[in-house]
Amino acid sequence: MEVILRTNNLCKDFKNQRVVNNVSITVRENSIYGLIGPNGAGKSTLLKMICGILKPTSGKIDFSNHKWSRNDLSYIGTLIEIPPLYENLKVCRSFYTAILLLLEYLDLYLSLGGLSCSIHL
């Protein structure tokens, strides 16, 4: 499969604090790629750099075998932040609500690409 996204030694600094340090990833066509890590690990910052919301301090982002540009945004869909959980709900109900919200977002983003979500709870 063709590589559609590649980062090479991507870094981001805020003032004197490095929040993303030399991240190199390769995402192939027709794949789903997730970032898992603790709060403050730089997951959202990395996605924001890939989507052009933040400018990398250093490193390189390639999209479909060329240097990333704003024109590539028409081909990129992302859900950067998880919808908030509701503190007044019990843990199980809160988790169920979060899953439903994520499925709604997933269905929305898939529909933008002409696809649909067939998961029903």
Side-chain angles (χ1 to χ4, degrees), residues 45-62:
T45 302
L46 175 62
L47 290 174
K48 289 175 183 178
M49 287 189 288
I50 291 170
C51 294
I53 297 169
L54 292 174
K55 184 177 179 181
T57 302
S58 63
K60 183 173 138 182
I61 302 172
D62 289 330

Side-chain angles (χ1 to χ4, degrees), residues 28-53:
R28 299 196 180 282
E29 185 178 36
N30 297 322
S31 66
I32 297 173
Y33 196 94
L35 301 172
I36 299 173
N39 290 345
K43 303 175 299 291
S44 295
T45 302
L46 175 62
L47 290 174
K48 289 175 183 178
M49 287 189 288
I50 291 170
C51 294
I53 297 169

Side-chain angles (χ1 to χ4, degrees), residues 74-100:
S74 61
Y75 300 101
I76 297 173
T78 183
L79 175 61
I80 294 178
E81 302 290 338
I82 295 177
L85 299 179
Y86 301 98
E87 293 182 19
N88 61 326
L89 299 177
K90 293 185 178 181
V91 172
C92 205
R93 182 70 180 161
S94 188
F95 184 68
Y96 179 75
T97 302
I99 289 173
L100 289 177

Side-chain angles (χ1 to χ4, degrees), residues 9-13 18 20-23 49 55-59:
N9 296 322
L10 208 56
C11 296
K12 180 64 181 172
D13 298 340
R18 177 146 292 179
V20 174
N21 188 23
N22 293 316
V23 174
M49 287 189 288
K55 184 177 179 181
T57 302
S58 63

